[in-house]
Amino acid sequence: MSLPPPDPSAPSSTTPDAAASGAAHPAAEAPVPATDPAAPAPATAGSVTEPAGASAAAGTRKHTALPKARTLIEALPWLTRHHGRTVVIKFGGNAMVDDELKAAFAQDVVFLRHAGLRPVVVHGGGPQITAHLDRLGLVSEFKAGLRVTTAEAMDAVRMVLAGQVQREIVGLLNAHGPFAVGLTGEDAHTMTATKHYARIDGESVDLGRVGEITTIDPGAVNALLDDGRIPVISSIARSADDGHVYNVNADTAAAALAVALGAETLIVLTDVEGLYADWPDSDEVISGLTASELEKLLPELSSGMVPKMEGCLYAVRGGVRTARVLDGRVQHAILLEIFTDEGIGTMVVPDDPSATHPGGPA
């Protein structure tokens, strides 16, 4: 992958129990005669008689709430670590077509924003593009993991990404508040591309209107982030060479933008659990590896994983502290990865951690 070199320079809904809400315990509904041997001793001045069962109820409430408190405490060091940092998230795969997964994704991104992070969403739209091309009678063909895009298909790609997919993501995020703003790589020259040729068996292959990023201008994105917004960016870009608009792989676009923004983390959502150690002979997922280790594995990867892992490699070598590949089929995968000790998926780190952006936490 050819990319530009990095620039060095609800409040609780728990209902109170009857004792706590002032309702009388059955044993206290009528006064007890003073001569009754079972009558309780009179309360002394200043004492408070606890309704029967209140202590047990309070203990139950405390017990059931403790796991929630522990979860919050577990997240504390991660909240501290990532506060104020930019996180670029590539949204794609089945997570884009399942309503529950889409809703969970929007909740995760808005949570990041409220937790003090600066999330940026870069999206593709493979399933939606394929469905639209099928309706138009246009064949979807892939080479080297990339969609072959004719001039006619490019019109459909542009319409689906900017007019359908982006609008839906913005709507899902804005259901939680006025946060999301949609734009494409064309807007404010955010992304500039040139025609991309794939290499297959040593041969150069023309993919049509498929582009590769040449430059990133993060000005508009940074302005939105500084204003507390969540940028949602469609992966299409205009060429400075021929003026054409190109379909840019969203994994590649997200990686280039993460580097240009000096992001703390790049997150790539996929339809698999992560990077497998020996697929298809084993379903063991590699939890973490260095850039050099990943580079050695690239020739052995399936074509669909190559752009994703190349993007991760480019990101960490461009100063991004971590790049993570997560299973987008898991609800709240983003929160599980960032804010828990276990994490999920595969994390790529630089060979030399000191080479990451100087503003990042230790």
Side-chain angles (χ1 to χ4, degrees):
M1 175 180 63
S2 173
L3 288 167
D7 185 355
S9 42
S12 174
S13 58
T14 305
T15 304
D17 61 84
S21 64
H25 189 281
E29 289 181 357
V32 180
T35 56
D36 187 341
T44 59
S47 67
V48 178
T49 303
E50 185 179 57
S55 178
T60 301
R61 288 197 300 274
K62 179 180 179 182
H63 173 72
T64 57
L66 271 177
K68 297 179 182 179
R70 293 191 184 105
T71 299
L72 293 172
I73 293 302
E74 181 182 335
L76 180 58
W78 307 109
L79 286 165
T80 302
R81 178 187 181 111
H82 296 296
H83 187 82
R85 306 301 180 195
T86 299
V87 177
V88 176
I89 306 163
K90 185 268 178 169
F91 184 44
N94 284 330
M96 301 186 72
V97 295
D98 181 282
D99 288 339
E100 290 187 359
L101 291 176
K102 286 188 290 187
F105 169 79
Q107 290 171 338
D108 285 5
V109 174
V110 173
F111 185 96
L112 295 183
R113 190 265 184 191
H114 281 303
L117 285 77
R118 291 154 54 97
V120 178
V121 178
V122 177
H123 72 88
Q128 295 90 335
I129 292 171
T130 298
H132 190 75
L133 292 177
D134 287 345
R135 288 194 293 270
L136 295 176
L138 300 175
V139 177
S140 295
E141 182 183 4
F142 291 85
K143 294 180 180 180
L146 300 173
R147 183 187 300 274
V148 177
T149 309
T150 64
E152 185 179 9
M154 186 63 227
D155 290 337
V157 169
R158 194 181 190 189
M159 180 179 68
V160 171
L161 291 181
Q164 177 188 337
V165 179
Q166 182 198 99
R167 292 296 90 204
E168 183 178 20
I169 298 172
V170 168
L172 288 167
L173 293 169
N174 284 343
H176 301 281
F179 304 126
V181 177
L183 63 158
T184 76
E186 297 178 73
D187 297 323
H189 294 177
T190 298
M191 297 178 186
T192 303
T194 191
K195 186 177 177 66
H196 174 71
Y197 292 88
R199 301 283 308 175
I200 301 178
D201 297 328
E203 298 290 330
S204 180
V205 179
D206 189 347
L207 300 175
R209 294 285 182 87
V210 174
E212 60 183 58
I213 302 292
T214 55
T215 58
I216 295 282
D217 183 343
V221 177
N222 274 322
L224 290 170
L225 290 171
D226 291 343
D227 195 38
R229 309 300 176 181
I230 302 173
V232 178
I233 305 168
S234 304
S235 56
I236 52 179
R238 187 174 293 277
S239 171
D241 302 326
D242 55 24
H244 291 316
V245 175
Y246 284 96
N247 180 20
V248 178
N249 179 270
D251 303 306
T252 301
L257 186 61
V259 171
L261 291 170
E264 165 78 6
T265 298
L266 167 68
I267 294 176
V268 179
L269 295 180
T270 72
D271 289 337
V272 294
E273 296 172 282
L275 184 62
Y276 293 111
D278 189 22
W279 183 262
D281 297 327
S282 170
D283 62 356
E284 178 187 355
V285 175
I286 301 173
S287 60
L289 70 169
T290 65
S292 293
E293 290 170 337
L294 173 58
E295 188 173 33
K296 293 176 183 178
L297 292 176
L298 284 177
E300 305 171 11
L301 300 181
S302 63
S303 60
M305 285 298 289
V306 169
K308 295 172 175 52
M309 302 316 300
E310 284 186 339
C312 290
L313 181 62
Y314 175 82
V316 296
R317 285 189 166 166
V320 177
R321 188 171 292 271
T322 63
R324 307 159 190 246
V325 178
L326 308 183
D327 190 347
R329 301 168 300 177
V330 177
Q331 288 194 18
H332 305 298
I334 296 173
L335 298 187
L336 290 171
E337 175 65 17
I338 293 183
F339 294 126
T340 66
D341 293 338
E342 292 82 7
I344 60 173
T346 298
M347 181 168 68
V348 183
V349 298
D351 296 314
D352 179 8
S354 65
T356 56
H357 291 293

